[in-house]
Amino acid sequence: MSSRFAPLKNDTFLRALMRQSTEYTPLWLMRQAGRYLPEYRATRSKAGSFMGLATSPDYATEVTLQPLDRYALDAAILFSDILTVPDAMGLGLSFAEGEGPRFARPLRDEQAVRDLRSPDLASLQYVFDAVTQIRTELAGRVPLIGFSGSPWTLACYMVEGGGSDDFRTVKSMLYDRPDLMHHILSINAAAVAAYLNAQIEAGAQAVMIFDTWGGALADGIYQTFSLNYMNEVIRGIKREYDGERIPCIVFTKGGGLWLEEIADSGADAVGLDWTVHLGKARALVGNKVALQGNLDPNVLFAKPEQIRTEVERALKAFGKPGPGSGHVFNLGHGISQFTPPESVTAMVSAVHEISRQMRA
Ligand code: CP3
């Protein structure tokens, strides 16, 4: 079957994820379309709100492409949010200006948990339409990443009703009523797998699972309540579509101590935050998975020369990519809204230049 989409002109990112050789180290940035870009803020104010952007395929396409027009990034990521899934489950998502996300109907009692259902994918059609439109408008420039939150990270927001400093409510449920927590996580795992498969069918060329709050869990609890459910998602997603391999990335922020277990999840690549040494991670699991990361986003508040030094340190820590290994450069977490846009220019050219020299 011939693809509905233009052939890829730059597949460096996909090759690195599959641990094939590349001419340089590809990069993209978590939250690359966002408030640090003035053009994003302009589009956001036209759309009226974050959800106004995310639910309009035209706006979502516009903001997804903005960072690619400015910088030589090697991948695009769907503009959306992990919380669209619990919103579609009926929890009532809103983003107030200057505040984090809020759910009007968090899962606070047994009845609410028992009533929870995997969402009707039709209510997320705006996401799949955005994926197809973005892939079409990319016209093969770079691959498009689809994504979802991990079952556990979604549960944190669904039970807390928003962000949290200590995860008191969700952890109380986990320890008091593990049966209810497992019930939520099984529903989330099924929903996430179906959601990612629909993104793949709509045109996503790689997928990433964001487990932002897995690192808040105790050893042993992480494996049971976060990793096991990500493994379930990975087993449930299409790894090939339209004749192409669809690589899968998992990222547990704060998960460095569980690297070997995460590398056994069946994912093609593992995201790392800045607490991990890329060379040590490569020695442990680099023949099994590609690695993605891991510059501290705060490096981008330094001057261009210092940014270059830190980029070089990360690239040298990984070392010269050899056969069977792969590195995708990224930040260790999302880019800050206060980042000067010129800092990204300095980072992108440093990654491409230094990584080419290292291969020479
Ligand atoms: O990476 C990208 O460019 C794709 C878009 C993307 C967004 N959110 C857009 C967004 C992705 C991949 C996410 C994932 C996401 N969302 C995560 C996991 C990754 C991470 O950052 O830890 C989480 C935990 C969320 C939940 C979420 N969404 C929070 C806590 C917030 C508020 C905090 C903040 O930065 O404002 C959001 C809102 C959000 N999602 C914004 C963007 C660009 C900012 C909204 C705005 O424009 O006001």
PDB file of all heavy atoms in Angstrom, residues 1-23:
ATOM      1  N   MET A   1       0.855  -1.205   0.000  1.00  0.00           N
ATOM      2  CA  MET A   1       0.000   0.000   0.000  1.00  0.00           C
ATOM      3  C   MET A   1       0.878   1.237   0.000  1.00  0.00           C
ATOM      4  O   MET A   1       1.804   1.346   0.799  1.00  0.00           O
ATOM      5  CB  MET A   1      -0.875  -0.020   1.271  1.00  0.00           C
ATOM      6  CG  MET A   1      -1.806   1.146   1.381  1.00  0.00           C
ATOM      7  SD  MET A   1      -2.938   0.948   2.777  1.00  0.00           S
ATOM      8  CE  MET A   1      -1.979   1.594   4.137  1.00  0.00           C
ATOM      9  N   SER A   2       0.620   2.161  -0.935  1.00  0.00           N
ATOM     10  CA  SER A   2       1.446   3.363  -0.942  1.00  0.00           C
ATOM     11  C   SER A   2       0.869   4.349   0.056  1.00  0.00           C
ATOM     12  O   SER A   2      -0.332   4.436   0.256  1.00  0.00           O
ATOM     13  CB  SER A   2       1.498   3.961  -2.343  1.00  0.00           C
ATOM     14  OG  SER A   2       0.301   4.648  -2.595  1.00  0.00           O
ATOM     15  N   SER A   3       1.777   5.088   0.720  1.00  0.00           N
ATOM     16  CA  SER A   3       1.368   5.969   1.799  1.00  0.00           C
ATOM     17  C   SER A   3       0.534   7.131   1.270  1.00  0.00           C
ATOM     18  O   SER A   3       0.711   7.584   0.146  1.00  0.00           O
ATOM     19  CB  SER A   3       2.608   6.487   2.503  1.00  0.00           C
ATOM     20  OG  SER A   3       2.231   7.404   3.485  1.00  0.00           O
ATOM     21  N   ARG A   4      -0.353   7.604   2.156  1.00  0.00           N
ATOM     22  CA  ARG A   4      -1.149   8.802   1.830  1.00  0.00           C
ATOM     23  C   ARG A   4      -0.291  10.046   1.928  1.00  0.00           C
ATOM     24  O   ARG A   4      -0.723  11.142   1.610  1.00  0.00           O
ATOM     25  CB  ARG A   4      -2.247   9.008   2.883  1.00  0.00           C
ATOM     26  CG  ARG A   4      -3.200   7.899   3.066  1.00  0.00           C
ATOM     27  CD  ARG A   4      -4.022   8.123   4.334  1.00  0.00           C
ATOM     28  NE  ARG A   4      -3.364   7.595   5.507  1.00  0.00           N
ATOM     29  CZ  ARG A   4      -3.672   7.946   6.762  1.00  0.00           C
ATOM     30  NH1 ARG A   4      -4.606   8.849   6.995  1.00  0.00           N
ATOM     31  NH2 ARG A   4      -3.043   7.395   7.771  1.00  0.00           N
ATOM     32  N   PHE A   5       0.923   9.910   2.485  1.00  0.00           N
ATOM     33  CA  PHE A   5       1.734  11.080   2.817  1.00  0.00           C
ATOM     34  C   PHE A   5       3.014  11.120   1.980  1.00  0.00           C
ATOM     35  O   PHE A   5       3.455  10.106   1.452  1.00  0.00           O
ATOM     36  CB  PHE A   5       2.094  11.049   4.304  1.00  0.00           C
ATOM     37  CG  PHE A   5       0.906  11.013   5.214  1.00  0.00           C
ATOM     38  CD1 PHE A   5       0.593   9.867   5.932  1.00  0.00           C
ATOM     39  CD2 PHE A   5       0.073  12.126   5.348  1.00  0.00           C
ATOM     40  CE1 PHE A   5      -0.504   9.825   6.782  1.00  0.00           C
ATOM     41  CE2 PHE A   5      -1.033  12.095   6.200  1.00  0.00           C
ATOM     42  CZ  PHE A   5      -1.317  10.942   6.911  1.00  0.00           C
ATOM     43  N   ALA A   6       3.613  12.318   1.918  1.00  0.00           N
ATOM     44  CA  ALA A   6       4.864  12.498   1.182  1.00  0.00           C
ATOM     45  C   ALA A   6       5.980  11.687   1.842  1.00  0.00           C
ATOM     46  O   ALA A   6       5.973  11.500   3.056  1.00  0.00           O
ATOM     47  CB  ALA A   6       5.237  13.982   1.183  1.00  0.00           C
ATOM     48  N   PRO A   7       6.947  11.203   1.046  1.00  0.00           N
ATOM     49  CA  PRO A   7       8.073  10.471   1.637  1.00  0.00           C
ATOM     50  C   PRO A   7       8.920  11.379   2.538  1.00  0.00           C
ATOM     51  O   PRO A   7       8.993  12.592   2.313  1.00  0.00           O
ATOM     52  CB  PRO A   7       8.882   9.993   0.429  1.00  0.00           C
ATOM     53  CG  PRO A   7       8.383  10.760  -0.743  1.00  0.00           C
ATOM     54  CD  PRO A   7       7.025  11.304  -0.419  1.00  0.00           C
ATOM     55  N   LEU A   8       9.561  10.779   3.529  1.00  0.00           N
ATOM     56  CA  LEU A   8      10.376  11.553   4.471  1.00  0.00           C
ATOM     57  C   LEU A   8      11.673  12.021   3.823  1.00  0.00           C
ATOM     58  O   LEU A   8      12.379  11.227   3.208  1.00  0.00           O
ATOM     59  CB  LEU A   8      10.742  10.673   5.662  1.00  0.00           C
ATOM     60  CG  LEU A   8       9.902  10.789   6.916  1.00  0.00           C
ATOM     61  CD1 LEU A   8      10.453   9.854   7.982  1.00  0.00           C
ATOM     62  CD2 LEU A   8       9.867  12.229   7.431  1.00  0.00           C
ATOM     63  N   LYS A   9      11.977  13.310   4.034  1.00  0.00           N
ATOM     64  CA  LYS A   9      13.263  13.834   3.543  1.00  0.00           C
ATOM     65  C   LYS A   9      14.341  13.696   4.607  1.00  0.00           C
ATOM     66  O   LYS A   9      15.518  13.604   4.298  1.00  0.00           O
ATOM     67  CB  LYS A   9      13.106  15.311   3.162  1.00  0.00           C
ATOM     68  CG  LYS A   9      12.160  15.503   1.983  1.00  0.00           C
ATOM     69  CD  LYS A   9      11.876  16.987   1.729  1.00  0.00           C
ATOM     70  CE  LYS A   9      10.617  17.150   0.901  1.00  0.00           C
ATOM     71  NZ  LYS A   9       9.733  18.214   1.414  1.00  0.00           N
ATOM     72  N   ASN A  10      13.941  13.741   5.864  1.00  0.00           N
ATOM     73  CA  ASN A  10      14.905  13.631   6.969  1.00  0.00           C
ATOM     74  C   ASN A  10      14.393  12.579   7.954  1.00  0.00           C
ATOM     75  O   ASN A  10      13.487  12.850   8.732  1.00  0.00           O
ATOM     76  CB  ASN A  10      15.055  15.002   7.649  1.00  0.00           C
ATOM     77  CG  ASN A  10      15.939  14.951   8.890  1.00  0.00           C
ATOM     78  OD1 ASN A  10      16.435  13.888   9.273  1.00  0.00           O
ATOM     79  ND2 ASN A  10      16.131  16.098   9.522  1.00  0.00           N
ATOM     80  N   ASP A  11      15.007  11.396   7.887  1.00  0.00           N
ATOM     81  CA  ASP A  11      14.588  10.325   8.794  1.00  0.00           C
ATOM     82  C   ASP A  11      15.638  10.053   9.874  1.00  0.00           C
ATOM     83  O   ASP A  11      15.654   8.972  10.477  1.00  0.00           O
ATOM     84  CB  ASP A  11      14.269   9.038   8.007  1.00  0.00           C
ATOM     85  CG  ASP A  11      15.499   8.459   7.325  1.00  0.00           C
ATOM     86  OD1 ASP A  11      16.567   9.132   7.306  1.00  0.00           O
ATOM     87  OD2 ASP A  11      15.414   7.319   6.821  1.00  0.00           O
ATOM     88  N   THR A  12      16.522  11.024  10.122  1.00  0.00           N
ATOM     89  CA  THR A  12      17.618  10.853  11.089  1.00  0.00           C
ATOM     90  C   THR A  12      17.088  10.448  12.466  1.00  0.00           C
ATOM     91  O   THR A  12      17.632   9.564  13.127  1.00  0.00           O
ATOM     92  CB  THR A  12      18.418  12.170  11.209  1.00  0.00           C
ATOM     93  OG1 THR A  12      18.591  12.694   9.900  1.00  0.00           O
ATOM     94  CG2 THR A  12      19.769  11.952  11.847  1.00  0.00           C
ATOM     95  N   PHE A  13      16.023  11.124  12.896  1.00  0.00           N
ATOM     96  CA  PHE A  13      15.418  10.843  14.207  1.00  0.00           C
ATOM     97  C   PHE A  13      14.957   9.378  14.290  1.00  0.00           C
ATOM     98  O   PHE A  13      15.254   8.670  15.250  1.00  0.00           O
ATOM     99  CB  PHE A  13      14.255  11.820  14.411  1.00  0.00           C
ATOM    100  CG  PHE A  13      13.314  11.472  15.522  1.00  0.00           C
ATOM    101  CD1 PHE A  13      13.701  11.601  16.846  1.00  0.00           C
ATOM    102  CD2 PHE A  13      12.017  11.049  15.249  1.00  0.00           C
ATOM    103  CE1 PHE A  13      12.821  11.284  17.884  1.00  0.00           C
ATOM    104  CE2 PHE A  13      11.132  10.743  16.260  1.00  0.00           C
ATOM    105  CZ  PHE A  13      11.537  10.860  17.588  1.00  0.00           C
ATOM    106  N   LEU A  14      14.242   8.910  13.267  1.00  0.00           N
ATOM    107  CA  LEU A  14      13.729   7.534  13.299  1.00  0.00           C
ATOM    108  C   LEU A  14      14.876   6.528  13.269  1.00  0.00           C
ATOM    109  O   LEU A  14      14.836   5.513  13.963  1.00  0.00           O
ATOM    110  CB  LEU A  14      12.779   7.288  12.115  1.00  0.00           C
ATOM    111  CG  LEU A  14      11.475   8.091  12.127  1.00  0.00           C
ATOM    112  CD1 LEU A  14      10.648   7.788  10.873  1.00  0.00           C
ATOM    113  CD2 LEU A  14      10.650   7.793  13.384  1.00  0.00           C
ATOM    114  N   ARG A  15      15.921   6.839  12.503  1.00  0.00           N
ATOM    115  CA  ARG A  15      17.058   5.910  12.445  1.00  0.00           C
ATOM    116  C   ARG A  15      17.757   5.837  13.807  1.00  0.00           C
ATOM    117  O   ARG A  15      18.160   4.759  14.239  1.00  0.00           O
ATOM    118  CB  ARG A  15      18.039   6.310  11.337  1.00  0.00           C
ATOM    119  CG  ARG A  15      17.557   5.832   9.965  1.00  0.00           C
ATOM    120  CD  ARG A  15      18.634   6.013   8.913  1.00  0.00           C
ATOM    121  NE  ARG A  15      18.657   7.382   8.433  1.00  0.00           N
ATOM    122  CZ  ARG A  15      19.751   8.113   8.277  1.00  0.00           C
ATOM    123  NH1 ARG A  15      20.947   7.626   8.578  1.00  0.00           N
ATOM    124  NH2 ARG A  15      19.666   9.342   7.836  1.00  0.00           N
ATOM    125  N   ALA A  16      17.926   6.978  14.460  1.00  0.00           N
ATOM    126  CA  ALA A  16      18.575   6.963  15.786  1.00  0.00           C
ATOM    127  C   ALA A  16      17.732   6.146  16.776  1.00  0.00           C
ATOM    128  O   ALA A  16      18.274   5.382  17.578  1.00  0.00           O
ATOM    129  CB  ALA A  16      18.790   8.384  16.296  1.00  0.00           C
ATOM    130  N   LEU A  17      16.410   6.292  16.719  1.00  0.00           N
ATOM    131  CA  LEU A  17      15.547   5.524  17.628  1.00  0.00           C
ATOM    132  C   LEU A  17      15.683   4.025  17.387  1.00  0.00           C
ATOM    133  O   LEU A  17      15.528   3.224  18.303  1.00  0.00           O
ATOM    134  CB  LEU A  17      14.077   5.914  17.449  1.00  0.00           C
ATOM    135  CG  LEU A  17      13.645   7.283  17.957  1.00  0.00           C
ATOM    136  CD1 LEU A  17      12.152   7.484  17.689  1.00  0.00           C
ATOM    137  CD2 LEU A  17      13.931   7.452  19.446  1.00  0.00           C
ATOM    138  N   MET A  18      15.957   3.669  16.142  1.00  0.00           N
ATOM    139  CA  MET A  18      16.074   2.240  15.829  1.00  0.00           C
ATOM    140  C   MET A  18      17.527   1.775  15.920  1.00  0.00           C
ATOM    141  O   MET A  18      17.851   0.672  15.493  1.00  0.00           O
ATOM    142  CB  MET A  18      15.436   1.964  14.477  1.00  0.00           C
ATOM    143  CG  MET A  18      13.918   2.195  14.564  1.00  0.00           C
ATOM    144  SD  MET A  18      13.009   1.740  13.100  1.00  0.00           S
ATOM    145  CE  MET A  18      13.419   3.074  12.005  1.00  0.00           C
ATOM    146  N   ARG A  19      18.382   2.627  16.495  1.00  0.00           N
ATOM    147  CA  ARG A  19      19.797   2.319  16.720  1.00  0.00           C
ATOM    148  C   ARG A  19      20.529   2.010  15.425  1.00  0.00           C
ATOM    149  O   ARG A  19      21.403   1.160  15.363  1.00  0.00           O
ATOM    150  CB  ARG A  19      19.956   1.190  17.759  1.00  0.00           C
ATOM    151  CG  ARG A  19      19.540   1.661  19.157  1.00  0.00           C
ATOM    152  CD  ARG A  19      19.671   0.606  20.224  1.00  0.00           C
ATOM    153  NE  ARG A  19      18.679  -0.452  20.044  1.00  0.00           N
ATOM    154  CZ  ARG A  19      18.955  -1.712  19.773  1.00  0.00           C
ATOM    155  NH1 ARG A  19      20.201  -2.130  19.700  1.00  0.00           N
ATOM    156  NH2 ARG A  19      17.975  -2.577  19.624  1.00  0.00           N
ATOM    157  N   GLN A  20      20.149   2.736  14.368  1.00  0.00           N
ATOM    158  CA  GLN A  20      20.883   2.645  13.102  1.00  0.00           C
ATOM    159  C   GLN A  20      21.816   3.848  13.011  1.00  0.00           C
ATOM    160  O   GLN A  20      21.627   4.829  13.717  1.00  0.00           O
ATOM    161  CB  GLN A  20      19.898   2.658  11.921  1.00  0.00           C
ATOM    162  CG  GLN A  20      18.970   1.449  11.932  1.00  0.00           C
ATOM    163  CD  GLN A  20      17.779   1.607  11.002  1.00  0.00           C
ATOM    164  OE1 GLN A  20      17.669   2.601  10.277  1.00  0.00           O
ATOM    165  NE2 GLN A  20      16.881   0.637  11.023  1.00  0.00           N
ATOM    166  N   SER A  21      22.794   3.802  12.104  1.00  0.00           N
ATOM    167  CA  SER A  21      23.773   4.891  12.075  1.00  0.00           C
ATOM    168  C   SER A  21      23.169   6.161  11.470  1.00  0.00           C
ATOM    169  O   SER A  21      22.258   6.116  10.633  1.00  0.00           O
ATOM    170  CB  SER A  21      25.032   4.451  11.335  1.00  0.00           C
ATOM    171  OG  SER A  21      24.734   4.326   9.984  1.00  0.00           O
ATOM    172  N   THR A  22      23.666   7.296  11.943  1.00  0.00           N
ATOM    173  CA  THR A  22      23.194   8.605  11.484  1.00  0.00           C
ATOM    174  C   THR A  22      24.414   9.502  11.265  1.00  0.00           C
ATOM    175  O   THR A  22      25.461   9.275  11.875  1.00  0.00           O
ATOM    176  CB  THR A  22      22.282   9.274  12.544  1.00  0.00           C
ATOM    177  OG1 THR A  22      22.997   9.363  13.784  1.00  0.00           O
ATOM    178  CG2 THR A  22      20.987   8.509  12.755  1.00  0.00           C
ATOM    179  N   GLU A  23      24.276  10.519  10.434  1.00  0.00           N
ATOM    180  CA  GLU A  23      25.403  11.408  10.115  1.00  0.00           C
ATOM    181  C   GLU A  23      25.663  12.394  11.250  1.00  0.00           C
ATOM    182  O   GLU A  23      26.730  12.984  11.353  1.00  0.00           O
ATOM    183  CB  GLU A  23      25.124  12.204   8.833  1.00  0.00           C
ATOM    184  CG  GLU A  23      24.865  11.367   7.572  1.00  0.00           C
ATOM    185  CD  GLU A  23      23.511  10.643   7.586  1.00  0.00           C
ATOM    186  OE1 GLU A  23      22.478  11.281   7.900  1.00  0.00           O
ATOM    187  OE2 GLU A  23      23.491   9.416   7.315  1.00  0.00           O
TER     188      GLU A  23
END
